[in-house]
């Protein structure tokens, strides 16, 4: 080495020596630039794919946040609603409001007389439209006998037509809306009797077989209940486990074995946890099917290794000097942990927990196994009620044949992604807020 | 796991190990020094299979500074950490022998290690204040030991401790700011204040000035000299000048053995062992 260096010094002309190092310098710079370029390309690719995904979801889903409405001049016919004039709420609630709507259509299109055509005409509004009339009458019985413009939710086919998802230029037999119906809609549209409005019901209604009536509130409540169970079960258990293994347990073959198994559990496919839940929680413990309680328990099992691993990592990251300082003033081991180590590790543990919860929020497979895939219309009111969760709701809607469920599916995905973004943002904020330097 | 070999307890005091002229020196000068505070007898320490200390016998007297010197890895820090059982937390460490604090074996099974550490405080090489306020740093020890009930009493303890550590003047307007925001020298004095807040008998210092600049070092050394009046101090140091400046007695460790112990002046002027001679004249270490 020294010989070569000396040789270079003496034997070669200085210019050649410089040239050589210049070339090497250039190569080094080129290599660094290339590496940087690969990195930038990879990030661009990732952002591009993510952008395509988001664009596809949002462009398909945003229309679900508005609904098409049809305005009709309704004559609240006393003969139909309250023939005896008692104004008894029970009678009012029981009246045949479908008939009232049909009459309103007939007055708007008096030329329609054939029975089948009349049926097709009243199919323009949702089968749940009569509820609007009933609520209006119950709220203010004095409308009976008057005429009022009432806006009804359009049926899913009309909704799709107005949003442009059903093409008008294909043969009549190839689409779900007939030529006559299109003509009526266009006539109504021209008269200003077709409008769009924000679809609040999407956020407040439960699931339904009618796409225009289906909402995600049931799934959101189910998700919330499930997540509560998951958090309450997994967080304290996981933190206690992490603290014990990291701070108190002796390092021997048993703890090594436990550590290996925890790491393995984090990699077990989630459907296996679902099967375990089915066999143990449903089969053996006899807990109710489709309940958020069981869903939460299964997800908690899945979550445990994730939080334990994150917790141990952040406990390990607390500098030993802090532990020594506390021990040296006479703190017991438990006091060292609860007064110093745990508070310092908490931001990391919370971040791990939130990421684990976000993971659980998007989980579908294990919940299929324990029956949370059922079609449930009611909003769950407790941990043992039958319920479904957002990702399962997405799965169910994606499986439905109606065209209108496509936009519902995408809209539900947008809501789910929104929750995930909020949770991850929360993790970042918590970490920033509580991170302490020493 | 800590394992105490009880059989050693009986034999160690009566059968001094070879080269234990330390004992003789201590006895001869016992009149000059204060009463005996700590007496280590036949202390062996193992880290796994490696023996870090071999049959150390050392007496530490009240109200004076004992310096432990020696090259890196000679076992002086290990010995220091035996005195308040900080080696307990090291998984592979085993300690054998007897260490008497006021005549009581601190490795006795009945002894409560928390009480021991309240009596034997410690200051570390790197300043390690808690990431809490200056006030909470000092008040932590008294709080967990139930010293000073009520806020007024605790305020008093914090103020006295900071005063004794020579830090009160510099921080009295910002007691509720984080202790980690102080300079290195101030942090180290804060750690000393934290240690004396629980009113210990003994303060162990493990190279307390090695992370400090010369001015902060001088300040801490001054402080050590003042603290000597009320506390027994054992200090590990790499700097022989520091040992000469602050201590009354010096113990020289080499390769896990206690080579020589005596008056600081005697150790630095006329060492008996040639290894000590070699170390203090800078031939090795």
């Amino acid at each position: 080495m020294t010989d070569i260096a000396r040789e270079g010094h003496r034997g070669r002309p200085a210019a050649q020596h410089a040239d050589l190092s210049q070339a090497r310098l250039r190569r080094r710079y080129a290599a660094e630039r290339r590496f940087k370029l690969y990195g930038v390309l990879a990030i661009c690719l990732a952002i591009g794919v993510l952008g395509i995904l988001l664009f596809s979801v949002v462009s398909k889903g945003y229309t679900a946040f508005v609904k098409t409405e049809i305005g009709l001049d309704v004559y609240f016919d006393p003969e139909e609603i309250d023939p005896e004039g008692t104004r008894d709420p029970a009678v009012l609630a029981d009246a045949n409001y479908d008939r009232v709507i049909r009459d309103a259509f007939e007055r708007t299109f008096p030329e329609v007389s054939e029975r089948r055509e009349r049926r097709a005409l009243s199919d323009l509004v949702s089968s749940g439209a009569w509820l609007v009339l009933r609520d209006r009458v119950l709220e203010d019985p004095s409308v009976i006998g008057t005429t009022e413009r009432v806006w009804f939710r359009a049926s899913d086919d009309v909704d799709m037509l107005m949003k442009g998802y059903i093409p008008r230029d294909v043969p009549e037999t190839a689409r779900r809306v007939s030529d006559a119906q299109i003509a009526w809609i266009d006539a109504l549209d021209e008269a200003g009797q077709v409008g769009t409005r924000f679809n609040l019901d999407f956020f407040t209604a439960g699931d339904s077989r009618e796409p225009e009536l289906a909402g995600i509130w049931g799934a959101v409540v189910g998700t919330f209940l499930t997540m509560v169970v998951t958090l309450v079960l997994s967080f304290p258990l996981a933190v206690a486990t992490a603290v014990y293994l990291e701070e108190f347990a002796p390092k021997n073959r048993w703890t090594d074995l436990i550590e290996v198994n925890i790491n393995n559990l984090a990699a077990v496919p989630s459907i296996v946890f679902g099967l375990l839940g089915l066999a143990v929680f449903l089969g053996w413990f006899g807990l109710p099917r489709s309940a958020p309680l069981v869903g939460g328990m299964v997800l908690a099992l899945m979550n445990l290794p994730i939080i334990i691993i994150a917790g141990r990592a952040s406990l390990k990251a607390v500098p030993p000097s802090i532990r020594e300082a506390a021990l040296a003033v006479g703190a017991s081991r438990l006091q060292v942990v609860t007064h110093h180590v745990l508070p310092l590790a908490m931001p990391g543990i919370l971040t791990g927990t939130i990421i684990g919860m976000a993971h659980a929020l998007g989980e579908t497979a294990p919940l299929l196994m324990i029956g949370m895939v059922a079609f449930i219309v009611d909003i769950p009111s407790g941990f043992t009620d039958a319920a479904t969760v957002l990702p399962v709701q997405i799965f169910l809607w994606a499986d439905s044949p109606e065209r209108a469920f496509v936009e519902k599916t995408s809209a539900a995905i947008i809501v789910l992604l929104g929750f995930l973004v909020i949770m991850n943002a929360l993790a970042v904020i918590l970490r920033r807020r509580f991170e302490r330097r020493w | 796991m800590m394992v105490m070999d009880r059989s050693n307890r009986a034999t160690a005091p009566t059968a001094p190990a070879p080269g234990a002229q330390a004992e003789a020196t201590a006895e001869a000068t016992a009149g000059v020094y204060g009463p005996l505070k700590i007496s280590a007898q036949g202390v062996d320490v193992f880290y796994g299979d490696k023996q870090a200390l071999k049959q150390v016998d050392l007496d530490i007297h009240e109200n004076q500074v004992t310096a432990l010197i020696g090259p890196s890895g000679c076992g002086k820090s290990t010995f220091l950490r035996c005195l308040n059982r900080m080696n307990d937390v090291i998984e592979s460490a085993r300690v054998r022998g007897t260490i008497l604090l006021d005549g009581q074996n601190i490795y006795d099974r009945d002894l409560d290690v928390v009480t021991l550490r309240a009596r034997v405080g410690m200051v570390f090489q790197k300043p390690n204040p808690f990431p809490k306020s200056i006030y909470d740093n000092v008040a932590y020890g008294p709080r967990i030991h139930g010293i000073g009930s009520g806020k007024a009493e605790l305020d008093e303890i914090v103020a006295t401790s900071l005063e004794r550590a020579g830090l009160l003047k510099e921080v009295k307007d910002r007691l509720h700011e984080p202790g980690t925001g102080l300079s290195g020298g101030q942090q180290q004095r804060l750690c000393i204040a934290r240690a004396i807040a629980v009113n210990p008998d003994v303060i162990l210092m493990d190279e307390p000035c090695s992370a400090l600049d010369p001015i902060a070092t001088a300040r801490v050394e001054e402080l050590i000299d003042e603290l000597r009046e009320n506390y027994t101090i054992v200090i590990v140091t790499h700097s022989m000048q520091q040992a000469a400046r602050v201590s009354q007695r010096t113990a020289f460790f080499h390769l896990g053995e206690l080579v020589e112990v005596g008056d600081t002046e005697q150790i630095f002027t006329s060492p008996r062992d040639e290894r000590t001679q070699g170390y203090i004249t800078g031939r090795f270490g």
Side-chain angles (χ1 to χ4, degrees):
Chain A
M1 167 71 204
T2 44
D3 281 349
I4 294 167
R6 211 176 294 139
E7 187 73 17
H9 240 281
R10 273 201 222 133
R12 284 180 211 154
Q16 195 188 345
H17 201 95
D19 259 4
L20 192 67
S21 66
Q22 283 275 309
R24 288 179 67 182
L25 204 60
R26 269 200 299 278
R27 271 209 305 281
R28 204 177 74 210
Y29 285 157
E32 276 171 16
R33 268 197 304 276
R34 259 202 318 279
F35 186 75
K36 209 166 141 188
L37 186 73
Y38 295 151
V40 170
L41 279 179
I43 290 173
C44 286
L45 188 72
I47 290 178
V49 171
L50 186 70
I52 292 170
L53 178 84
L54 283 181
F55 176 77
S56 139
V57 168
V58 172
S59 66
K60 280 188 189 126
Y62 78 98
T63 47
F65 297 122
V66 294
K67 59 181 175 187
T68 307
E69 286 192 322
I70 296 176
L72 293 176
D73 295 319
V74 177
Y75 172 58
F76 290 90
D77 189 355
E79 285 298 304
E80 201 61 65
I81 299 168
D82 190 15
E84 277 148 38
T86 56
R87 298 290 187 266
D88 178 8
V91 176
L92 297 182
D94 226 25
N96 185 355
Y97 292 102
D98 277 335
R99 210 40 267 139
V100 180
I101 295 172
R102 214 175 310 154
D103 290 345
F105 268 121
E106 274 163 30
R107 265 196 309 285
T108 319
F109 299 102
E111 72 280 6
V112 180
S113 53
E114 202 201 325
R115 195 180 152 79
R116 263 183 56 196
E117 283 198 308
R118 271 157 57 179
R119 165 81 58 77
L121 186 56
S122 55
D123 274 351
L124 291 182
V125 295
S126 163
S127 59
W130 62 274
L131 285 164
V132 181
L133 282 186
R134 188 193 66 177
D135 292 346
R136 179 81 187 93
V137 167
L138 285 177
E139 177 200 319
D140 177 16
S142 67
V143 295
I144 296 171
T146 63
T147 302
E148 193 177 281
R149 172 153 297 183
V150 178
W151 289 90
F152 298 100
R153 173 192 287 282
S155 72
D156 57 321
D157 291 332
V158 173
D159 194 36
M160 289 295 102
L161 181 76
M162 294 309 291
K163 286 171 179 171
Y165 291 126
I166 294 183
R168 291 161 183 252
D169 48 8
V170 297
E172 189 177 6
T173 48
R175 55 178 140 80
R176 285 178 54 90
V177 193
S178 69
D179 286 342
Q181 283 176 315
I182 290 180
W184 293 324
I185 283 291
D186 288 345
L188 283 169
D189 201 7
E190 225 142 274
Q193 284 174 272
V194 177
T196 54
R197 193 174 294 182
F198 179 65
N199 192 1
L200 189 66
D201 301 338
F202 179 69
F203 297 99
T204 58
D207 197 8
S208 170
R209 288 283 183 228
E210 306 295 331
E212 74 274 15
L213 297 176
I216 54 165
W217 186 239
V220 168
V221 173
T223 301
F224 175 75
L225 294 173
T226 308
M227 290 296 115
V228 166
V229 174
T230 306
L231 186 67
V232 165
L233 286 182
S234 63
F235 182 71
L237 261 180
V239 172
T241 309
V243 165
Y244 177 73
L245 286 177
E246 204 53 51
E247 303 289 329
F248 294 98
K251 304 272 173 290
N252 57 27
R253 213 178 297 167
W254 286 108
T255 45
D256 282 351
L257 189 73
I258 291 172
E259 177 162 6
V260 168
N261 274 300
I262 288 172
N263 291 343
N264 281 343
L265 277 180
V268 167
S270 55
I271 192 117
V272 177
F273 283 103
L275 283 168
L276 178 105
L278 176 62
V280 177
F281 297 149
L282 298 186
W284 196 17
F285 292 179
L287 290 171
R289 213 161 273 276
S290 307
L293 176 70
V294 182
M297 285 163 77
V298 170
L299 292 178
L301 288 182
M302 251 184 57
N303 232 352
L304 272 171
I306 296 173
I307 305 180
I308 292 173
I309 290 169
R312 293 189 67 176
S314 42
L315 287 170
K316 239 182 223 148
V318 174
S321 66
I322 297 291
R323 292 186 182 85
E324 286 195 326
L327 282 174
V329 293
S332 68
R333 286 173 90 176
L334 186 65
Q335 285 170 329
V336 171
V337 170
T338 53
H339 296 168
H340 300 281
V341 178
L342 208 50
L344 289 174
M346 223 8 128
I349 297 178
L350 287 180
T351 309
T353 306
I354 292 173
I355 288 171
M357 292 300 287
H359 191 83
L361 180 69
E363 199 54 71
T364 322
L367 301 180
L368 303 185
M369 287 290 113
I370 53 151
M372 286 188 91
V373 71
F375 170 72
I376 291 145
V377 180
D378 295 327
I379 313 290
S381 58
F383 292 107
T384 50
D385 283 5
T388 189
V389 295
L390 269 174
V392 175
Q393 185 69 74
I394 291 168
F395 171 76
L396 283 170
W397 282 347
D399 229 22
S400 301
E402 286 90 346
R403 177 64 185 80
F405 275 124
V406 174
E407 63 167 23
K408 297 276 171 192
T409 308
S410 298
I413 292 172
I414 293 173
V415 172
L416 182 63
L417 285 179
F419 278 123
L420 288 174
V421 168
I422 289 170
M423 287 178 80
N424 284 322
L426 203 66
V428 172
I429 291 169
L430 278 175
R431 201 166 44 208
R432 288 266 167 82
R433 172 73 59 89
F434 295 110
E435 203 162 53
R436 283 199 245 187
R437 268 178 280 167
W438 43 76
Chain B
M1 279 301 293
M2 296 298 306
V3 177
M4 272 302 305
D5 189 343
R6 260 139 216 293
S7 63
N8 236 9
R9 258 174 86 194
T11 54
T14 49
Q21 46 192 329
E23 286 284 321
T25 321
E27 268 154 37
T29 50
V32 185
Y33 304 135
L36 198 61
K37 189 71 189 171
I38 298 174
S39 175
Q41 294 157 359
V43 175
D44 286 318
V45 178
F46 300 86
Y47 291 127
D49 295 333
K50 193 178 154 285
Q51 188 165 8
L53 278 185
K54 295 168 196 156
Q55 288 293 312
V56 172
D57 300 301
L58 180 64
D59 288 342
I60 290 159
H61 299 268
E62 235 168 66
N63 295 47
Q64 69 173 16
V65 180
T66 305
L68 311 180
I69 61 169
S72 295
C74 67
K76 56 192 189 303
S77 287
T78 301
F79 179 74
L80 191 76
R81 293 168 66 94
C82 289
L83 299 182
N84 67 344
R85 289 182 57 176
M86 282 300 279
N87 283 330
D88 283 24
V89 292
I90 299 170
E91 197 86 23
S92 60
R94 278 185 306 131
V95 179
R96 267 197 329 214
T98 311
I99 296 174
L100 301 174
L101 171 66
D102 289 334
Q104 191 197 8
N105 186 6
I106 64 169
Y107 282 95
D108 208 39
R109 196 163 293 180
D110 305 330
L111 185 118
D112 179 43
V113 67
V114 166
T115 322
L116 169 71
R117 290 188 189 134
R119 287 177 64 195
V120 183
M122 191 163 187
V123 176
F124 295 85
Q125 185 171 357
K126 217 179 124 218
N128 57 353
F130 301 129
K132 297 176 186 252
S133 73
I134 294 170
Y135 183 94
D136 286 337
N137 259 288
V138 182
Y140 180 68
R143 271 194 194 125
I144 57 171
H145 294 300
I147 308 169
S149 50
K151 189 165 166 11
E153 226 171 303
L154 210 55
D155 285 352
E156 176 67 31
I157 291 172
V158 170
T160 345
S161 305
L162 287 170
E163 172 70 51
R164 279 199 197 162
L167 193 62
L168 187 62
K169 240 183 275 167
E170 293 157 62
V171 301
K172 68 168 177 293
D173 300 326
R174 43 178 179 150
L175 281 178
H176 294 283
E177 282 169 40
T180 41
L182 299 171
S183 75
Q186 289 174 324
Q187 287 191 15
Q188 195 60 298
R189 278 182 281 147
L190 177 61
C191 293
I192 293 173
R194 182 176 65 192
I196 59 184
V198 291
N199 203 19
D201 299 342
V202 182
I203 301 175
L204 310 177
M205 297 187 173
D206 190 356
E207 298 181 37
C209 301
S210 65
L212 305 183
D213 66 49
I215 295 170
T217 301
R219 188 75 197 77
V220 171
E221 284 179 6
E222 217 174 284
L223 177 61
I224 292 171
D225 208 45
E226 288 163 19
L227 291 173
R228 181 161 62 92
E229 271 178 43
N230 299 306
Y231 306 97
T232 307
I233 295 171
V234 185
I235 181 170
V236 164
T237 178
H238 258 128
S239 151
M240 281 172 283
Q241 290 87 338
Q242 185 171 61
R245 281 193 300 265
V246 302
S247 73
Q248 284 74 52
R249 257 161 68 86
T250 298
F252 173 65
F253 283 75
H254 185 55
L255 298 176
E257 281 177 64
L258 174 64
V259 175
E260 189 172 350
V261 59
D263 278 359
T264 299
E265 213 183 309
Q266 175 253 313
I267 292 277
F268 281 99
T269 52
S270 53
R272 294 194 189 92
D273 195 290
E274 62 181 41
R275 285 172 291 179
T276 319
Q277 171 88 32
Y279 182 70
I280 62 171
T281 52
R283 246 177 288 145
F284 72 90

